[in-house]
Amino acid sequence: MLSRRNVRIKIMQVLYAAQRQQFKSPRAYESLFIQMVDNSYKLYLQNLIIIQRVCEYAKHDLATRRAKLRPTAEDKAFQAILADNPIVSFLSDNNELSRAYEQAGVKRTIDADQIQGLYRDFLTTEAYQEYLTKGDTTSASSISLLLKLYKWLQSQELFLGMIEDHFPLWSGDKSLVIGAIKKTIKALPAEQDFYKAYQNHGEAVLEFGQPLLKFVVESDDALLERIKPLLQNWEAERVAIIDMILIKMAVGEFTQFPAIAPEVTINEYVDISKSYSTDKSREFINGVLDNLRKELQKDGLV
């Protein structure tokens, strides 16, 4: 599921954490990196279970309404169509998915009161009212509703708080997870183990991320000596920590991944700096990397 962009960000975060915590062992770097990679998959599962639980709450709502001594006309007419449709039923009846939630620990991140709050608020939306009025619970109609529910959730502070409480660094994976959830919903019902397609130990992690992290960690001193002469009159100690990390990573890509064009590498790290470093980092990193690329090409290393 992870793209190279996501992997770059995670490596940057690992290297930053290592400096702050003074990692002693290369294994500590790899362990934290794998933990961050696994968190992306857990984040995907947490988004999915929140959608599922909000829909399933309709059954609890139905039971509560039926248990009233004096139900209203609205209570008597209420149907749990948010839960009783082929798409949500597929998720609810999927024992393999339930075990995946359990193994990933995401069930423990779900608070019933928060789910109830989201459910109650969603019942007031135009998307739900339209679904209710039409009474069309076919797969196509239910998929459309779940997509609208997920879009609505992304605008709710309660939902965002549920995510950030357990995945504070989720912004780096946000667009990727949103895309994965949309793709998942559109493909339902699917194979029982559909979620495994979003486990993250793919090419971007195994063939790009782990080798890049290993190279930067093992070559840290040599990379610094290569970079120092081209810091545009800045002393290395005065360069922002994130900027230096991104420059070292880019040099690693220049020299270790010939299939990636240097221009692509420069653009990627300049773009990452816009979100994670200072206002002036973009120009600084672009200039340093452009000079480094020229030096490395002259030395036959790119």
Side-chain angles (χ1 to χ4, degrees):
M1 180 173 74
L2 289 178
S3 66
R4 286 180 179 172
R5 166 67 67 87
N6 297 105
V7 168
R8 289 182 180 103
I9 291 171
K10 292 185 186 307
I11 293 174
M12 176 198 72
Q13 291 168 337
V14 168
L15 294 171
Y16 181 78
Q19 286 207 21
R20 309 299 284 185
Q21 300 174 29
Q22 298 183 335
F23 284 6
K24 303 297 183 183
S25 165
R27 192 173 187 83
Y29 292 84
E30 182 180 6
S31 177
L32 181 57
F33 175 63
I34 294 303
Q35 179 184 330
M36 287 185 171
V37 167
D38 288 341
N39 279 346
S40 298
Y41 171 61
K42 292 177 182 179
L43 177 61
Y44 162 79
L45 290 178
Q46 192 203 37
N47 275 247
L48 186 60
I49 196 175
I50 290 174
I51 296 169
Q52 180 181 330
R53 290 287 189 264
V54 168
C55 292
E56 290 172 342
Y57 196 86
K59 291 185 177 180
H60 177 82
D61 190 12
L62 177 63
T64 300
R65 291 171 186 264
R66 287 182 173 175
K68 289 182 179 180
L69 292 176
R70 297 188 179 188
T72 64
E74 181 184 352
D75 291 332
K76 293 178 180 179
F78 180 81
Q79 293 182 330
I81 62 172
L82 199 55
D84 292 332
N85 62 71
I87 303 304
V88 177
S89 294
F90 168 78
L91 296 174
S92 300
D93 297 339
N94 191 330
N95 293 328
E96 289 189 35
L97 178 61
S98 181
R99 281 193 292 272
Y101 289 151
E102 190 69 48
Q103 291 168 359
V106 298
K107 285 185 177 180
R108 297 191 295 273
T109 71
I110 305 303
D111 180 88
D113 290 338
Q114 292 174 322
I115 293 296
Q116 179 185 11
L118 291 170
Y119 168 79
R120 295 293 183 194
D121 289 343
F122 185 65
L123 292 195
T124 67
T125 64
E126 183 179 341
Y128 174 76
Q129 292 300 322
E130 182 181 348
Y131 184 70
L132 180 65
T133 302
K134 288 183 177 180
D136 179 6
T137 59
T138 60
S139 292
S141 179
S142 300
I143 286 172
S144 177
L145 179 70
L146 289 190
L147 290 172
K148 292 175 182 176
L149 167 59
Y150 188 47
K151 182 178 181 180
W152 174 83
L153 285 171
Q154 292 164 45
S155 68
Q156 303 303 300
E157 289 187 11
L158 180 54
F159 171 76
L160 297 176
M162 293 173 71
I163 301 294
E164 290 166 1
D165 283 347
H166 301 280
F167 300 98
L169 298 178
W170 89 293
S171 60
D173 289 331
K174 184 176 180 179
S175 61
L176 188 80
V177 170
I178 289 173
I181 291 293
K182 288 180 178 178
K183 183 178 179 181
T184 293
I185 292 172
K186 291 175 182 178
L188 294 177
E191 298 293 329
Q192 293 288 302
D193 62 350
F194 69 90
Y195 55 87
K196 289 183 179 179
Y198 299 96
Q199 289 177 313
N200 291 311
H201 296 281
E203 178 273 335
V205 172
L206 299 177
E207 298 178 25
F208 174 70
Q210 287 182 322
L212 177 59
L213 176 62
K214 184 174 185 290
F215 175 81
V216 174
V217 171
E218 292 179 350
S219 308
D220 185 67
D221 292 338
L223 288 171
L224 183 59
E225 291 306 309
R226 168 70 72 169
I227 293 166
K228 275 183 179 180
L230 299 172
L231 289 180
Q232 302 177 350
N233 300 320
W234 281 78
E235 295 178 6
E237 294 75 16
R238 295 178 59 201
V239 175
I241 294 174
I242 291 294
D243 291 358
M244 182 60 78
I245 288 172
L246 294 177
I247 292 169
K248 289 178 180 177
M249 290 173 61
V251 175
E253 281 195 37
F254 286 159
T255 60
Q256 304 301 306
F257 297 90
I260 302 176
E263 293 77 12
V264 171
T265 294
I266 293 174
N267 288 339
E268 284 290 316
Y269 287 103
V270 168
D271 207 39
I272 290 171
S273 73
K274 296 177 187 177
S275 299
Y276 292 92
S277 198
T278 68
D279 292 338
K280 296 181 179 180
S281 293
R282 174 175 57 181
E283 292 80 7
F284 175 71
I285 290 175
N286 186 67
V288 172
L289 290 183
D290 189 51
N291 289 331
L292 278 165
R293 174 182 59 82
K294 292 174 183 176
E295 288 288 322
L296 291 167
Q297 284 178 331
K298 186 171 65 176
D299 293 343
L301 296 175
V302 174

